[in-house]
Amino acid sequence: MESNTIDIRPLEINDYEELLKLQKRCFSDMEITTRDQFESQLYQFKEGQIGVFLNDSLVASASSLILDLDEYSVNHSWDEIADEGYIRNHDPEGDTLYGIEVMVDPDYRGMKFGRRLYEARKELCQKLNLKRILIGGRIPNYHLHEKDMKVTEYVRAVMDKKIYDPVLSFQVKNDFTIKRIIRNYLPDDEESCYYAALMEWVNLEYRQTQPKVKISSSPARICCVQYKMRKISSFDDFAQQIEYFVDVASEYKSDFVLFPELLTTQLLSFVGEKRPGLAARELTKFTDQYIEFFNEMAIRYDVNIIGGSHFTMENDRVHNVSYLFHRDGSIDSQYKIHITPSERKWWGVQPGSELKVFDTDRGRVAINICYDVEFPELARVATDKGAQILFVPYCTDERHGFTRVRITSQARAIENQIYVAIAGTVGNIPSVPNMDIQYAQSAIFTPSDFPFSRDGIVAISEENNEMVVIADVDLAVLRRTRHSGTVTPLKDRRTDLYSINFKEVSDQKVVFPKEDIKMSKE
């Protein structure tokens, strides 16, 4: 007879489907945790997302984050504390471990899995030298007594063991003491009549190292390259120009360097193909050389490079792809999702469909290639996935197009409370059709609030001159402003009225009819 095995460990992204099943069994009438929320929780604080596995099956889980409670109101809500389930407000320099969810499979209650989770939290609190654990505990039996007693009377009766409450009684048994009653804590907790009991466990082993006198900071330095398009005679000429700017960014200790969209169309100045549709396909032949070169630059100069964008061939279709070359040697890619009429007509470009958010050594980032930034849904979904910086490589021929990119980029920074960096091309290549003129003014934008630059612009270039702009952005300031800014558009969205439904579609899906591509070649 085989014995049962129990494993308590931090959750992984591959555990999501089991977590979802567990949540439906425990709280069938409450909103489920989305995959984006779970992914964000793991990114922000993986240690705080704990699972109990019985014979490799998830039977219980607990979720938590670290906070500085002084930044929150006395009568806070679950949405406020948990950042609506994304915990992007997790503060590694806080002093309180705040539990936001505990679940135990109903078929396995009575096996002390809940106690194991609470003990795991206490061990984590002690390991991280935090002052305490706080829980906004449900009181699910209160709805049975609401007509007969006030909520404070009910809590006292439970504390005196005159009434049993499955959650509150359990927390008291595990050495938690009640601090206060919170109204309107969890919007879909009808059983608790929307009340919660704020419970505290004090870490008696807490060691105060020094008074908290500093404000946390998490800086990232961004370099935007306003790149001049000029006639060249070889890939080596192109590489020499690119390496110069990567060297400059590295010399100034940049964490990211952003190049413009369609950067590699400069190579067409020596390819010789005049018909744009066929020229785009000729350009895709440089893909391996382009990737190998930028990968080497990122590693050699110790900087994360957003390599503008490059026409890439897959399954006989041309895509406009922006590659992120990490300084550790890894490579990610973002396909352009919205294709302009000009790209479709001249180059025969096909759109991608997957919106990605990338983990880097300086926070989570996303890429909107030029026209994509003019569609607010993309940046909003990326922000919900944890993006803190949005990179926008662009290529516009005249001021009208540039104005659209600039204004919408600033709007994305304000409405999503993120940093947005844009970089465009200048100069001209008369011999390359559809790339003969360029207009750009590169910049780094911030939300519009007191902790940031007055006009929401931390750095901006001169118009139409080849140059770089370099500036620091602080991800910790972003986190604090999202929580307690003059306005908080992320928190204040009316999700009861509207939402974004983003379908999971492969980048390889054909959107435009094939005859459109044939026409563009002629």
Side-chain angles (χ1 to χ4, degrees), residues 141-150 190 193 195:
N141 278 3
Y142 178 54
H143 71 284
L144 303 174
H145 303 270
E146 181 186 16
K147 294 181 180 179
D148 304 322
M149 58 180 64
K150 296 178 181 179
E190 296 182 6
C193 303
Y195 288 102

Side-chain angles (χ1 to χ4, degrees), residues 34 36 48 58 66 96 146 190 240 264 273 277 284 286 337 393 409 421 451 469 493:
T34 67
D36 287 345
L58 183 66
I66 298 174
T96 299
E146 181 186 16
E190 296 182 6
Q240 186 177 26
T264 56
E273 175 58 58
T284 66
F286 290 95
I337 293 174
S409 294
V469 290
R493 286 177 290 171

Side-chain angles (χ1 to χ4, degrees), residues 13 33 48 111 127 138 144 182 209 211 255 297 304 306 406-407 430 456 496 500 512 516 521:
I13 190 64
T33 299
M111 297 182 67
K127 171 187 172 184
R138 301 174 62 236
L144 303 174
I182 306 176
T209 54
D255 297 299
M297 291 295 99
N304 301 300
I306 299 88
R406 170 172 173 169
I407 291 176
D496 57 324
I500 297 174
F512 294 148
D516 286 342
K521 294 180 187 176

Side-chain angles (χ1 to χ4, degrees), residues 68 93 210-217 480:
D68 180 351
E93 296 188 6
Q210 61 181 14
K212 188 174 180 180
V213 295
K214 65 176 184 178
I215 298 176
S216 62
S217 178
R480 289 194 292 270

Side-chain angles (χ1 to χ4, degrees), residues 10-73:
L11 294 171
E12 305 280 352
I13 190 64
N14 293 335
D15 298 320
Y16 175 68
E17 293 302 327
E18 282 208 67
L19 181 73
L20 198 60
K21 293 176 185 177
L22 177 62
Q23 196 168 47
K24 289 178 179 178
R25 290 196 295 271
C26 295
F27 306 120
S28 59
D29 56 342
M30 293 188 179
E31 288 187 13
I32 62 171
T33 299
T34 67
R35 189 178 184 88
D36 287 345
Q37 289 171 325
F38 183 54
E39 183 179 328
S40 181
Q41 290 172 9
L42 295 183
Y43 173 75
Q44 300 293 343
F45 186 39
K46 184 176 180 179
E47 282 186 288
Q49 321 314 313
I50 305 169
V52 178
F53 293 81
L54 177 63
N55 300 329
D56 297 325
S57 295
L58 183 66
V59 294
S61 72
S63 181
S64 60
L65 71 159
I66 298 174
L67 298 172
D68 180 351
L69 205 65
D70 291 339
E71 296 182 0
Y72 295 83
S73 60

